[in-house]
Amino acid sequence: MSDAQTDPRLAVAERAARAGSEVAAEGFRDDIDVEIKSGKTDVVTEADRAAQRRVIEVIREEYPDDAVVGEEEDELKAVPEAGDVWIIDPIDGTNNFVRSTPLWTTSVAAVRDGEPVAAANVSPALGDTYLAGPDGTRRNGEPASVSDKTDPETFAVAPTIWWDFDRRDEYAAVCREIVERFADMRRLGCAQLTLGMVATGGLEGAITNVVPNPWDTVAGVYMIRQAGGVVTDLDGEPWRHDSEGLVASNGEAHEELLAAARNVP
């Protein structure tokens, strides 16, 4: 039996993420209008909004009174410290989506009293579904675990989240730290997929020094932890939805990843 069959919130998270991703996929590689939100690279489409509405519809069928934190429209933008909450990103990786690049996902996490209890990331253009619940993390139904590499010079590490144009010196510094300390660097342009790859062994780590949004991170952080990895803030304390910075690893050489993230002016 899969986690989604045995845990009701995980089952709903998966169902909602799949439903939202199907709506989003209808607009992928289509001639869809793109709107600018707060900056030249902060974009949104009607597919984002429609997918979020569909995700919420599915959640409300089972949990009509739970709070919802969502990237689009008028949903909450911060995670309440108490109670049951759903965190949604209808299309994480919208810049990829509008460029017809398949690196995007629909993300849904269930949180209780500030801590995740279930998560689903569905990436229809890649054919991948990531699920995490009390019994671990799965990709496409198969149990997943973080990489077992221990030597930092064999690690592939991703700079993740986004540094705006007034913080490009920090972006450059993070990239420099990665290429000087580790074997190679990846940047996917989709934080949830990046974290999912750490959870499933495709990357050994991911780092940022910025304060990330909960919809970009909570599901993927839970997946990493349930797959045996470690996620902290810049002080090395367990990462939370309101933490500054994010340092994710397979649990090996985490201090080296912390040092890279901290060594940013």
Side-chain angles (χ1 to χ4, degrees), residues 150-155 157 174 176-183 204-207 230 232 234 236 247-264:
T150 59
D151 181 355
E153 293 187 358
T154 67
F155 282 17
V157 177
V174 168
R176 183 191 66 245
E177 289 293 322
I178 290 173
V179 299
E180 289 181 352
R181 293 173 184 268
F182 306 106
E204 280 67 48
I207 62 174
V230 174
T232 69
L234 295 178
V247 179
S249 79
N250 62 351
E252 307 289 348
H254 191 80
E255 288 299 321
E256 188 75 9
L257 284 152
L258 267 174
R262 289 168 174 164
N263 200 27
V264 175

PDB file of all heavy atoms in Angstrom, residues 150-155 157 174 176-183 204-207 230 232 234 236 247-264:
ATOM      1  N   THR A 150      29.576  10.942   0.199  1.00  0.00           N
ATOM      2  CA  THR A 150      30.111  11.579   1.399  1.00  0.00           C
ATOM      3  C   THR A 150      31.192  12.608   1.105  1.00  0.00           C
ATOM      4  O   THR A 150      31.474  13.453   1.952  1.00  0.00           O
ATOM      5  CB  THR A 150      30.697  10.525   2.347  1.00  0.00           C
ATOM      6  OG1 THR A 150      31.746   9.810   1.669  1.00  0.00           O
ATOM      7  CG2 THR A 150      29.623   9.529   2.793  1.00  0.00           C
ATOM      8  N   ASP A 151      31.797  12.545  -0.069  1.00  0.00           N
ATOM      9  CA  ASP A 151      32.897  13.445  -0.416  1.00  0.00           C
ATOM     10  C   ASP A 151      32.340  14.686  -1.094  1.00  0.00           C
ATOM     11  O   ASP A 151      31.762  14.590  -2.186  1.00  0.00           O
ATOM     12  CB  ASP A 151      33.873  12.722  -1.349  1.00  0.00           C
ATOM     13  CG  ASP A 151      35.064  13.578  -1.743  1.00  0.00           C
ATOM     14  OD1 ASP A 151      35.113  14.776  -1.381  1.00  0.00           O
ATOM     15  OD2 ASP A 151      35.956  13.047  -2.440  1.00  0.00           O
ATOM     16  N   PRO A 152      32.505  15.879  -0.506  1.00  0.00           N
ATOM     17  CA  PRO A 152      31.966  17.092  -1.125  1.00  0.00           C
ATOM     18  C   PRO A 152      32.449  17.305  -2.557  1.00  0.00           C
ATOM     19  O   PRO A 152      31.728  17.919  -3.352  1.00  0.00           O
ATOM     20  CB  PRO A 152      32.457  18.208  -0.199  1.00  0.00           C
ATOM     21  CG  PRO A 152      32.673  17.549   1.110  1.00  0.00           C
ATOM     22  CD  PRO A 152      33.141  16.164   0.790  1.00  0.00           C
ATOM     23  N   GLU A 153      33.630  16.825  -2.885  1.00  0.00           N
ATOM     24  CA  GLU A 153      34.150  17.025  -4.233  1.00  0.00           C
ATOM     25  C   GLU A 153      33.471  16.133  -5.265  1.00  0.00           C
ATOM     26  O   GLU A 153      33.799  16.185  -6.447  1.00  0.00           O
ATOM     27  CB  GLU A 153      35.658  16.829  -4.238  1.00  0.00           C
ATOM     28  CG  GLU A 153      36.390  17.924  -3.452  1.00  0.00           C
ATOM     29  CD  GLU A 153      37.897  17.852  -3.589  1.00  0.00           C
ATOM     30  OE1 GLU A 153      38.402  16.926  -4.266  1.00  0.00           O
ATOM     31  OE2 GLU A 153      38.573  18.729  -3.025  1.00  0.00           O
ATOM     32  N   THR A 154      32.512  15.320  -4.813  1.00  0.00           N
ATOM     33  CA  THR A 154      31.681  14.537  -5.738  1.00  0.00           C
ATOM     34  C   THR A 154      30.234  15.045  -5.762  1.00  0.00           C
ATOM     35  O   THR A 154      29.407  14.501  -6.486  1.00  0.00           O
ATOM     36  CB  THR A 154      31.672  13.047  -5.355  1.00  0.00           C
ATOM     37  OG1 THR A 154      30.984  12.872  -4.098  1.00  0.00           O
ATOM     38  CG2 THR A 154      33.083  12.494  -5.242  1.00  0.00           C
ATOM     39  N   PHE A 155      29.948  16.083  -4.999  1.00  0.00           N
ATOM     40  CA  PHE A 155      28.574  16.562  -4.846  1.00  0.00           C
ATOM     41  C   PHE A 155      28.131  17.425  -6.032  1.00  0.00           C
ATOM     42  O   PHE A 155      28.897  18.228  -6.550  1.00  0.00           O
ATOM     43  CB  PHE A 155      28.441  17.437  -3.593  1.00  0.00           C
ATOM     44  CG  PHE A 155      28.366  16.681  -2.292  1.00  0.00           C
ATOM     45  CD1 PHE A 155      28.764  15.359  -2.202  1.00  0.00           C
ATOM     46  CD2 PHE A 155      27.913  17.312  -1.146  1.00  0.00           C
ATOM     47  CE1 PHE A 155      28.707  14.673  -1.001  1.00  0.00           C
ATOM     48  CE2 PHE A 155      27.849  16.640   0.058  1.00  0.00           C
ATOM     49  CZ  PHE A 155      28.240  15.316   0.136  1.00  0.00           C
ATOM     50  N   VAL A 157      25.395  20.388  -6.455  1.00  0.00           N
ATOM     51  CA  VAL A 157      24.676  21.282  -5.544  1.00  0.00           C
ATOM     52  C   VAL A 157      23.986  22.380  -6.352  1.00  0.00           C
ATOM     53  O   VAL A 157      24.540  22.872  -7.344  1.00  0.00           O
ATOM     54  CB  VAL A 157      25.651  21.897  -4.513  1.00  0.00           C
ATOM     55  CG1 VAL A 157      24.933  22.895  -3.611  1.00  0.00           C
ATOM     56  CG2 VAL A 157      26.304  20.794  -3.677  1.00  0.00           C
ATOM     57  N   VAL A 174      27.047  32.897  -4.134  1.00  0.00           N
ATOM     58  CA  VAL A 174      26.584  31.527  -3.897  1.00  0.00           C
ATOM     59  C   VAL A 174      27.106  30.592  -4.980  1.00  0.00           C
ATOM     60  O   VAL A 174      27.608  29.494  -4.691  1.00  0.00           O
ATOM     61  CB  VAL A 174      25.045  31.484  -3.822  1.00  0.00           C
ATOM     62  CG1 VAL A 174      24.546  30.044  -3.864  1.00  0.00           C
ATOM     63  CG2 VAL A 174      24.546  32.175  -2.564  1.00  0.00           C
ATOM     64  N   ARG A 176      29.760  30.987  -6.842  1.00  0.00           N
ATOM     65  CA  ARG A 176      31.208  30.837  -6.667  1.00  0.00           C
ATOM     66  C   ARG A 176      31.518  29.833  -5.559  1.00  0.00           C
ATOM     67  O   ARG A 176      32.388  28.957  -5.711  1.00  0.00           O
ATOM     68  CB  ARG A 176      31.843  32.183  -6.332  1.00  0.00           C
ATOM     69  CG  ARG A 176      33.374  32.125  -6.215  1.00  0.00           C
ATOM     70  CD  ARG A 176      33.963  33.390  -5.632  1.00  0.00           C
ATOM     71  NE  ARG A 176      33.555  33.576  -4.241  1.00  0.00           N
ATOM     72  CZ  ARG A 176      32.798  34.559  -3.806  1.00  0.00           C
ATOM     73  NH1 ARG A 176      32.337  35.475  -4.650  1.00  0.00           N
ATOM     74  NH2 ARG A 176      32.475  34.646  -2.529  1.00  0.00           N
ATOM     75  N   GLU A 177      30.815  29.945  -4.439  1.00  0.00           N
ATOM     76  CA  GLU A 177      31.041  29.019  -3.331  1.00  0.00           C
ATOM     77  C   GLU A 177      30.783  27.578  -3.771  1.00  0.00           C
ATOM     78  O   GLU A 177      31.529  26.661  -3.413  1.00  0.00           O
ATOM     79  CB  GLU A 177      30.121  29.380  -2.159  1.00  0.00           C
ATOM     80  CG  GLU A 177      30.484  30.652  -1.446  1.00  0.00           C
ATOM     81  CD  GLU A 177      31.803  30.547  -0.705  1.00  0.00           C
ATOM     82  OE1 GLU A 177      32.084  29.478  -0.125  1.00  0.00           O
ATOM     83  OE2 GLU A 177      32.559  31.535  -0.706  1.00  0.00           O
ATOM     84  N   ILE A 178      29.736  27.377  -4.551  1.00  0.00           N
ATOM     85  CA  ILE A 178      29.405  26.022  -4.997  1.00  0.00           C
ATOM     86  C   ILE A 178      30.492  25.467  -5.911  1.00  0.00           C
ATOM     87  O   ILE A 178      30.975  24.345  -5.716  1.00  0.00           O
ATOM     88  CB  ILE A 178      28.025  25.998  -5.688  1.00  0.00           C
ATOM     89  CG1 ILE A 178      26.922  26.231  -4.654  1.00  0.00           C
ATOM     90  CG2 ILE A 178      27.806  24.667  -6.419  1.00  0.00           C
ATOM     91  CD1 ILE A 178      25.539  26.392  -5.249  1.00  0.00           C
ATOM     92  N   VAL A 179      30.893  26.235  -6.912  1.00  0.00           N
ATOM     93  CA  VAL A 179      31.852  25.686  -7.885  1.00  0.00           C
ATOM     94  C   VAL A 179      33.247  25.529  -7.282  1.00  0.00           C
ATOM     95  O   VAL A 179      34.036  24.713  -7.764  1.00  0.00           O
ATOM     96  CB  VAL A 179      31.902  26.527  -9.172  1.00  0.00           C
ATOM     97  CG1 VAL A 179      30.539  26.546  -9.852  1.00  0.00           C
ATOM     98  CG2 VAL A 179      32.377  27.940  -8.913  1.00  0.00           C
ATOM     99  N   GLU A 180      33.534  26.272  -6.222  1.00  0.00           N
ATOM    100  CA  GLU A 180      34.850  26.128  -5.594  1.00  0.00           C
ATOM    101  C   GLU A 180      34.896  24.986  -4.577  1.00  0.00           C
ATOM    102  O   GLU A 180      35.964  24.433  -4.315  1.00  0.00           O
ATOM    103  CB  GLU A 180      35.255  27.436  -4.905  1.00  0.00           C
ATOM    104  CG  GLU A 180      35.596  28.545  -5.905  1.00  0.00           C
ATOM    105  CD  GLU A 180      36.020  29.839  -5.219  1.00  0.00           C
ATOM    106  OE1 GLU A 180      35.904  29.919  -3.966  1.00  0.00           O
ATOM    107  OE2 GLU A 180      36.447  30.761  -5.928  1.00  0.00           O
ATOM    108  N   ARG A 181      33.751  24.614  -4.021  1.00  0.00           N
ATOM    109  CA  ARG A 181      33.727  23.611  -2.957  1.00  0.00           C
ATOM    110  C   ARG A 181      33.269  22.237  -3.418  1.00  0.00           C
ATOM    111  O   ARG A 181      33.616  21.227  -2.797  1.00  0.00           O
ATOM    112  CB  ARG A 181      32.784  24.069  -1.827  1.00  0.00           C
ATOM    113  CG  ARG A 181      33.259  25.295  -1.064  1.00  0.00           C
ATOM    114  CD  ARG A 181      32.179  25.750  -0.096  1.00  0.00           C
ATOM    115  NE  ARG A 181      32.522  26.970   0.605  1.00  0.00           N
ATOM    116  CZ  ARG A 181      33.129  27.009   1.784  1.00  0.00           C
ATOM    117  NH1 ARG A 181      33.456  25.877   2.395  1.00  0.00           N
ATOM    118  NH2 ARG A 181      33.401  28.172   2.361  1.00  0.00           N
ATOM    119  N   PHE A 182      32.464  22.189  -4.487  1.00  0.00           N
ATOM    120  CA  PHE A 182      31.803  20.945  -4.859  1.00  0.00           C
ATOM    121  C   PHE A 182      32.110  20.573  -6.306  1.00  0.00           C
ATOM    122  O   PHE A 182      32.707  21.355  -7.044  1.00  0.00           O
ATOM    123  CB  PHE A 182      30.293  21.071  -4.633  1.00  0.00           C
ATOM    124  CG  PHE A 182      29.938  21.504  -3.239  1.00  0.00           C
ATOM    125  CD1 PHE A 182      29.492  22.803  -2.986  1.00  0.00           C
ATOM    126  CD2 PHE A 182      30.074  20.639  -2.167  1.00  0.00           C
ATOM    127  CE1 PHE A 182      29.174  23.207  -1.705  1.00  0.00           C
ATOM    128  CE2 PHE A 182      29.766  21.035  -0.873  1.00  0.00           C
ATOM    129  CZ  PHE A 182      29.321  22.322  -0.644  1.00  0.00           C
ATOM    130  N   ALA A 183      31.662  19.372  -6.706  1.00  0.00           N
ATOM    131  CA  ALA A 183      32.009  18.878  -8.034  1.00  0.00           C
ATOM    132  C   ALA A 183      31.333  19.662  -9.145  1.00  0.00           C
ATOM    133  O   ALA A 183      31.948  19.961 -10.167  1.00  0.00           O
ATOM    134  CB  ALA A 183      31.642  17.394  -8.161  1.00  0.00           C
ATOM    135  N   GLU A 204      23.076  16.401  -4.200  1.00  0.00           N
ATOM    136  CA  GLU A 204      23.496  16.209  -2.803  1.00  0.00           C
ATOM    137  C   GLU A 204      23.110  17.390  -1.924  1.00  0.00           C
ATOM    138  O   GLU A 204      23.097  17.260  -0.692  1.00  0.00           O
ATOM    139  CB  GLU A 204      25.010  15.979  -2.719  1.00  0.00           C
ATOM    140  CG  GLU A 204      25.444  14.570  -3.057  1.00  0.00           C
ATOM    141  CD  GLU A 204      25.224  14.207  -4.518  1.00  0.00           C
ATOM    142  OE1 GLU A 204      25.604  15.010  -5.405  1.00  0.00           O
ATOM    143  OE2 GLU A 204      24.658  13.115  -4.766  1.00  0.00           O
ATOM    144  N   GLY A 205      22.835  18.534  -2.533  1.00  0.00           N
ATOM    145  CA  GLY A 205      22.497  19.693  -1.720  1.00  0.00           C
ATOM    146  C   GLY A 205      21.876  20.812  -2.511  1.00  0.00           C
ATOM    147  O   GLY A 205      21.935  20.846  -3.749  1.00  0.00           O
ATOM    148  N   ALA A 206      21.269  21.752  -1.774  1.00  0.00           N
ATOM    149  CA  ALA A 206      20.703  22.970  -2.351  1.00  0.00           C
ATOM    150  C   ALA A 206      20.826  24.059  -1.300  1.00  0.00           C
ATOM    151  O   ALA A 206      20.596  23.805  -0.111  1.00  0.00           O
ATOM    152  CB  ALA A 206      19.245  22.767  -2.743  1.00  0.00           C
ATOM    153  N   ILE A 207      21.189  25.282  -1.732  1.00  0.00           N
ATOM    154  CA  ILE A 207      21.401  26.354  -0.760  1.00  0.00           C
ATOM    155  C   ILE A 207      20.860  27.690  -1.256  1.00  0.00           C
ATOM    156  O   ILE A 207      20.819  27.953  -2.453  1.00  0.00           O
ATOM    157  CB  ILE A 207      22.891  26.531  -0.396  1.00  0.00           C
ATOM    158  CG1 ILE A 207      23.734  26.917  -1.627  1.00  0.00           C
ATOM    159  CG2 ILE A 207      23.444  25.283   0.253  1.00  0.00           C
ATOM    160  CD1 ILE A 207      25.189  27.234  -1.291  1.00  0.00           C
ATOM    161  N   VAL A 230      18.818  16.358   5.550  1.00  0.00           N
ATOM    162  CA  VAL A 230      18.837  17.397   6.572  1.00  0.00           C
ATOM    163  C   VAL A 230      18.548  18.742   5.908  1.00  0.00           C
ATOM    164  O   VAL A 230      19.088  19.026   4.827  1.00  0.00           O
ATOM    165  CB  VAL A 230      20.211  17.452   7.274  1.00  0.00           C
ATOM    166  CG1 VAL A 230      20.285  18.631   8.247  1.00  0.00           C
ATOM    167  CG2 VAL A 230      20.497  16.139   7.996  1.00  0.00           C
ATOM    168  N   THR A 232      18.382  22.871   7.166  1.00  0.00           N
ATOM    169  CA  THR A 232      18.542  23.833   8.253  1.00  0.00           C
ATOM    170  C   THR A 232      18.450  25.259   7.727  1.00  0.00           C
ATOM    171  O   THR A 232      18.448  25.494   6.512  1.00  0.00           O
ATOM    172  CB  THR A 232      19.907  23.673   8.950  1.00  0.00           C
ATOM    173  OG1 THR A 232      20.947  24.099   8.055  1.00  0.00           O
ATOM    174  CG2 THR A 232      20.149  22.235   9.377  1.00  0.00           C
ATOM    175  N   LEU A 234      20.427  29.202   8.161  1.00  0.00           N
ATOM    176  CA  LEU A 234      21.830  29.587   8.064  1.00  0.00           C
ATOM    177  C   LEU A 234      22.586  29.406   9.370  1.00  0.00           C
ATOM    178  O   LEU A 234      23.817  29.347   9.377  1.00  0.00           O
ATOM    179  CB  LEU A 234      21.939  31.048   7.608  1.00  0.00           C
ATOM    180  CG  LEU A 234      21.420  31.346   6.203  1.00  0.00           C
ATOM    181  CD1 LEU A 234      21.536  32.842   5.912  1.00  0.00           C
ATOM    182  CD2 LEU A 234      22.161  30.534   5.153  1.00  0.00           C
ATOM    183  N   GLY A 236      22.215  26.734  11.184  1.00  0.00           N
ATOM    184  CA  GLY A 236      22.294  25.303  11.413  1.00  0.00           C
ATOM    185  C   GLY A 236      21.152  24.742  12.233  1.00  0.00           C
ATOM    186  O   GLY A 236      21.151  23.562  12.600  1.00  0.00           O
ATOM    187  N   VAL A 247      19.382  25.517   3.764  1.00  0.00           N
ATOM    188  CA  VAL A 247      20.523  24.669   3.422  1.00  0.00           C
ATOM    189  C   VAL A 247      20.048  23.226   3.523  1.00  0.00           C
ATOM    190  O   VAL A 247      19.739  22.734   4.609  1.00  0.00           O
ATOM    191  CB  VAL A 247      21.719  24.915   4.358  1.00  0.00           C
ATOM    192  CG1 VAL A 247      22.887  24.003   3.981  1.00  0.00           C
ATOM    193  CG2 VAL A 247      22.152  26.381   4.308  1.00  0.00           C
ATOM    194  N   ALA A 248      19.963  22.562   2.381  1.00  0.00           N
ATOM    195  CA  ALA A 248      19.479  21.182   2.315  1.00  0.00           C
ATOM    196  C   ALA A 248      20.609  20.266   1.879  1.00  0.00           C
ATOM    197  O   ALA A 248      21.403  20.632   0.997  1.00  0.00           O
ATOM    198  CB  ALA A 248      18.313  21.078   1.330  1.00  0.00           C
ATOM    199  N   SER A 249      20.669  19.098   2.472  1.00  0.00           N
ATOM    200  CA  SER A 249      21.735  18.161   2.104  1.00  0.00           C
ATOM    201  C   SER A 249      21.276  16.726   2.313  1.00  0.00           C
ATOM    202  O   SER A 249      20.234  16.462   2.922  1.00  0.00           O
ATOM    203  CB  SER A 249      22.997  18.423   2.938  1.00  0.00           C
ATOM    204  OG  SER A 249      22.866  17.859   4.234  1.00  0.00           O
ATOM    205  N   ASN A 250      22.105  15.819   1.847  1.00  0.00           N
ATOM    206  CA  ASN A 250      21.868  14.400   2.082  1.00  0.00           C
ATOM    207  C   ASN A 250      22.293  13.975   3.487  1.00  0.00           C
ATOM    208  O   ASN A 250      22.256  12.795   3.823  1.00  0.00           O
ATOM    209  CB  ASN A 250      22.589  13.549   1.030  1.00  0.00           C
ATOM    210  CG  ASN A 250      24.095  13.718   1.063  1.00  0.00           C
ATOM    211  OD1 ASN A 250      24.624  14.601   1.757  1.00  0.00           O
ATOM    212  ND2 ASN A 250      24.810  12.892   0.315  1.00  0.00           N
ATOM    213  N   GLY A 251      22.711  14.943   4.301  1.00  0.00           N
ATOM    214  CA  GLY A 251      23.145  14.643   5.658  1.00  0.00           C
ATOM    215  C   GLY A 251      24.634  14.425   5.783  1.00  0.00           C
ATOM    216  O   GLY A 251      25.170  14.359   6.886  1.00  0.00           O
ATOM    217  N   GLU A 252      25.309  14.334   4.646  1.00  0.00           N
ATOM    218  CA  GLU A 252      26.763  14.185   4.628  1.00  0.00           C
ATOM    219  C   GLU A 252      27.377  15.537   4.283  1.00  0.00           C
ATOM    220  O   GLU A 252      26.930  16.211   3.371  1.00  0.00           O
ATOM    221  CB  GLU A 252      27.181  13.149   3.579  1.00  0.00           C
ATOM    222  CG  GLU A 252      26.480  11.806   3.709  1.00  0.00           C
ATOM    223  CD  GLU A 252      26.941  11.016   4.917  1.00  0.00           C
ATOM    224  OE1 GLU A 252      27.958  11.398   5.540  1.00  0.00           O
ATOM    225  OE2 GLU A 252      26.266  10.017   5.253  1.00  0.00           O
ATOM    226  N   ALA A 253      28.392  15.936   5.012  1.00  0.00           N
ATOM    227  CA  ALA A 253      29.091  17.205   4.751  1.00  0.00           C
ATOM    228  C   ALA A 253      28.142  18.392   4.798  1.00  0.00           C
ATOM    229  O   ALA A 253      28.312  19.369   4.062  1.00  0.00           O
ATOM    230  CB  ALA A 253      29.831  17.147   3.411  1.00  0.00           C
ATOM    231  N   HIS A 254      27.151  18.327   5.675  1.00  0.00           N
ATOM    232  CA  HIS A 254      26.214  19.442   5.781  1.00  0.00           C
ATOM    233  C   HIS A 254      26.922  20.723   6.212  1.00  0.00           C
ATOM    234  O   HIS A 254      26.562  21.826   5.769  1.00  0.00           O
ATOM    235  CB  HIS A 254      25.097  19.105   6.768  1.00  0.00           C
ATOM    236  CG  HIS A 254      23.963  20.092   6.745  1.00  0.00           C
ATOM    237  ND1 HIS A 254      22.971  20.071   5.796  1.00  0.00           N
ATOM    238  CD2 HIS A 254      23.688  21.166   7.545  1.00  0.00           C
ATOM    239  CE1 HIS A 254      22.123  21.060   6.007  1.00  0.00           C
ATOM    240  NE2 HIS A 254      22.534  21.741   7.064  1.00  0.00           N
ATOM    241  N   GLU A 255      27.958  20.569   7.022  1.00  0.00           N
ATOM    242  CA  GLU A 255      28.697  21.749   7.482  1.00  0.00           C
ATOM    243  C   GLU A 255      29.368  22.473   6.318  1.00  0.00           C
ATOM    244  O   GLU A 255      29.493  23.695   6.325  1.00  0.00           O
ATOM    245  CB  GLU A 255      29.735  21.354   8.536  1.00  0.00           C
ATOM    246  CG  GLU A 255      29.139  20.973   9.878  1.00  0.00           C
ATOM    247  CD  GLU A 255      28.361  22.118  10.524  1.00  0.00           C
ATOM    248  OE1 GLU A 255      28.829  23.281  10.419  1.00  0.00           O
ATOM    249  OE2 GLU A 255      27.312  21.857  11.120  1.00  0.00           O
ATOM    250  N   GLU A 256      29.795  21.731   5.308  1.00  0.00           N
ATOM    251  CA  GLU A 256      30.410  22.357   4.135  1.00  0.00           C
ATOM    252  C   GLU A 256      29.377  23.163   3.354  1.00  0.00           C
ATOM    253  O   GLU A 256      29.662  24.259   2.862  1.00  0.00           O
ATOM    254  CB  GLU A 256      31.043  21.285   3.245  1.00  0.00           C
ATOM    255  CG  GLU A 256      31.867  21.822   2.100  1.00  0.00           C
ATOM    256  CD  GLU A 256      33.225  22.377   2.537  1.00  0.00           C
ATOM    257  OE1 GLU A 256      33.608  22.200   3.705  1.00  0.00           O
ATOM    258  OE2 GLU A 256      33.889  22.995   1.693  1.00  0.00           O
ATOM    259  N   LEU A 257      28.174  22.645   3.262  1.00  0.00           N
ATOM    260  CA  LEU A 257      27.100  23.387   2.606  1.00  0.00           C
ATOM    261  C   LEU A 257      26.714  24.619   3.417  1.00  0.00           C
ATOM    262  O   LEU A 257      26.474  25.696   2.852  1.00  0.00           O
ATOM    263  CB  LEU A 257      25.889  22.476   2.405  1.00  0.00           C
ATOM    264  CG  LEU A 257      26.042  21.483   1.249  1.00  0.00           C
ATOM    265  CD1 LEU A 257      25.222  20.231   1.498  1.00  0.00           C
ATOM    266  CD2 LEU A 257      25.639  22.118  -0.065  1.00  0.00           C
ATOM    267  N   LEU A 258      26.673  24.472   4.731  1.00  0.00           N
ATOM    268  CA  LEU A 258      26.403  25.631   5.582  1.00  0.00           C
ATOM    269  C   LEU A 258      27.464  26.704   5.392  1.00  0.00           C
ATOM    270  O   LEU A 258      27.152  27.896   5.283  1.00  0.00           O
ATOM    271  CB  LEU A 258      26.375  25.204   7.047  1.00  0.00           C
ATOM    272  CG  LEU A 258      25.031  24.823   7.655  1.00  0.00           C
ATOM    273  CD1 LEU A 258      25.233  24.293   9.059  1.00  0.00           C
ATOM    274  CD2 LEU A 258      24.070  25.991   7.648  1.00  0.00           C
ATOM    275  N   ALA A 259      28.730  26.285   5.340  1.00  0.00           N
ATOM    276  CA  ALA A 259      29.816  27.240   5.164  1.00  0.00           C
ATOM    277  C   ALA A 259      29.664  27.986   3.844  1.00  0.00           C
ATOM    278  O   ALA A 259      29.911  29.200   3.760  1.00  0.00           O
ATOM    279  CB  ALA A 259      31.153  26.527   5.236  1.00  0.00           C
ATOM    280  N   ALA A 260      29.261  27.278   2.800  1.00  0.00           N
ATOM    281  CA  ALA A 260      29.076  27.921   1.491  1.00  0.00           C
ATOM    282  C   ALA A 260      27.972  28.963   1.563  1.00  0.00           C
ATOM    283  O   ALA A 260      28.104  30.068   1.029  1.00  0.00           O
ATOM    284  CB  ALA A 260      28.736  26.854   0.456  1.00  0.00           C
ATOM    285  N   ALA A 261      26.855  28.624   2.218  1.00  0.00           N
ATOM    286  CA  ALA A 261      25.734  29.563   2.305  1.00  0.00           C
ATOM    287  C   ALA A 261      26.073  30.769   3.196  1.00  0.00           C
ATOM    288  O   ALA A 261      25.621  31.876   2.931  1.00  0.00           O
ATOM    289  CB  ALA A 261      24.503  28.842   2.843  1.00  0.00           C
ATOM    290  N   ARG A 262      26.839  30.525   4.228  1.00  0.00           N
ATOM    291  CA  ARG A 262      27.185  31.611   5.162  1.00  0.00           C
ATOM    292  C   ARG A 262      28.219  32.569   4.575  1.00  0.00           C
ATOM    293  O   ARG A 262      28.291  33.731   4.975  1.00  0.00           O
ATOM    294  CB  ARG A 262      27.721  31.030   6.455  1.00  0.00           C
ATOM    295  CG  ARG A 262      26.680  30.346   7.323  1.00  0.00           C
ATOM    296  CD  ARG A 262      27.373  29.574   8.418  1.00  0.00           C
ATOM    297  NE  ARG A 262      26.424  29.010   9.384  1.00  0.00           N
ATOM    298  CZ  ARG A 262      26.743  28.053  10.261  1.00  0.00           C
ATOM    299  NH1 ARG A 262      27.996  27.590  10.285  1.00  0.00           N
ATOM    300  NH2 ARG A 262      25.850  27.585  11.100  1.00  0.00           N
ATOM    301  N   ASN A 263      29.019  32.091   3.647  1.00  0.00           N
ATOM    302  CA  ASN A 263      30.116  32.893   3.123  1.00  0.00           C
ATOM    303  C   ASN A 263      29.665  33.769   1.967  1.00  0.00           C
ATOM    304  O   ASN A 263      30.316  33.897   0.937  1.00  0.00           O
ATOM    305  CB  ASN A 263      31.273  31.982   2.667  1.00  0.00           C
ATOM    306  CG  ASN A 263      32.576  32.724   2.565  1.00  0.00           C
ATOM    307  OD1 ASN A 263      32.797  33.724   3.256  1.00  0.00           O
ATOM    308  ND2 ASN A 263      33.460  32.262   1.697  1.00  0.00           N
ATOM    309  N   VAL A 264      28.488  34.378   2.151  1.00  0.00           N
ATOM    310  CA  VAL A 264      27.912  35.258   1.132  1.00  0.00           C
ATOM    311  C   VAL A 264      27.802  36.651   1.741  1.00  0.00           C
ATOM    312  O   VAL A 264      27.197  36.802   2.803  1.00  0.00           O
ATOM    313  CB  VAL A 264      26.524  34.749   0.686  1.00  0.00           C
ATOM    314  CG1 VAL A 264      25.879  35.733  -0.272  1.00  0.00           C
ATOM    315  CG2 VAL A 264      26.658  33.374   0.044  1.00  0.00           C
TER     316      VAL A 264
END
